[in-house]
Amino acid sequence: MRFTAGNAFKDLPYDENEQMADSFPLNIISGGSHLFGYLLKPDSRYEKPSPAVIMFHGFPGYTTNNDLEYALMRMGAVVIHVNHRGAWGSGGNYLFSNLTEDASAVAKWAHNPVVSEKYGINDRTTLQISSFI
């Protein structure tokens, strides 16, 4: 498994014989609340299993890092974008005390063998990147 840094800001040429990159809606439970988000999966030409990067948006109301997320996907990573409790439609209340519990719940979800198999995640390389502004 390796990142292909040269692909960060360009898509691979279209190949009708390959499975294209895709996105999937997420609904992960943390502290009894639904955390909504999405997962970006690189196309089938990248070596599998893929490393995973977990992205959090920071304070509610701030925009996301979609450009970075898509660059990471183009480099061969599975990108998991989740909205903390109380932000962008996720249930519960946004509290600093909930942030680490949410991050832990998402990491545990990504390390679940059923999930890692379904999305091609290398569960030994999951990274968490938080952007607290």
Side-chain angles (χ1 to χ4, degrees):
M1 154 205 31
R2 62 189 162 93
F3 273 146
T4 308
N7 292 343
F9 298 103
K10 67 177 183 178
D11 289 316
L12 294 175
Y14 176 73
D15 183 343
E16 64 185 38
N17 297 317
E18 299 292 333
Q19 180 182 356
M20 301 298 290
D22 207 350
S23 65
F24 302 89
L26 295 180
N27 181 358
I28 299 169
I29 304 297
S30 177
S33 297
H34 294 267
L35 305 181
F36 297 115
Y38 53 86
L39 179 142
L40 301 175
K41 184 178 175 184
D43 80 24
S44 61
R45 290 175 277 185
Y46 288 98
E47 184 179 328
K48 301 291 186 265
S50 300
V53 178
I54 300 171
M55 300 286 290
F56 295 101
H57 57 75
F59 290 122
Y62 280 83
T63 59
T64 62
N65 296 311
N66 297 113
D67 54 344
L68 178 59
E69 293 171 355
Y70 277 89
L72 288 164
M73 181 192 66
R74 287 185 198 105
M75 292 168 59
V78 170
V79 178
I80 301 166
H81 173 103
V82 177
N83 298 313
H84 289 288
R85 280 181 260 179
W88 298 107
S90 290
N93 295 314
Y94 186 90
L95 301 169
F96 286 120
S97 58
N98 289 340
L99 300 180
T100 54
E101 187 178 342
D102 292 351
S104 179
V106 175
K108 286 177 184 175
W109 175 87
H111 284 277
N112 178 312
V114 173
V115 171
S116 58
E117 177 70 26
K118 178 178 181 178
Y119 297 111
I121 296 171
N122 181 337
D123 62 5
R124 294 176 171 229
T125 61
T126 302
L127 305 171
Q128 293 183 38
I129 298 177
S130 295
S131 60
F132 295 103
I133 298 171

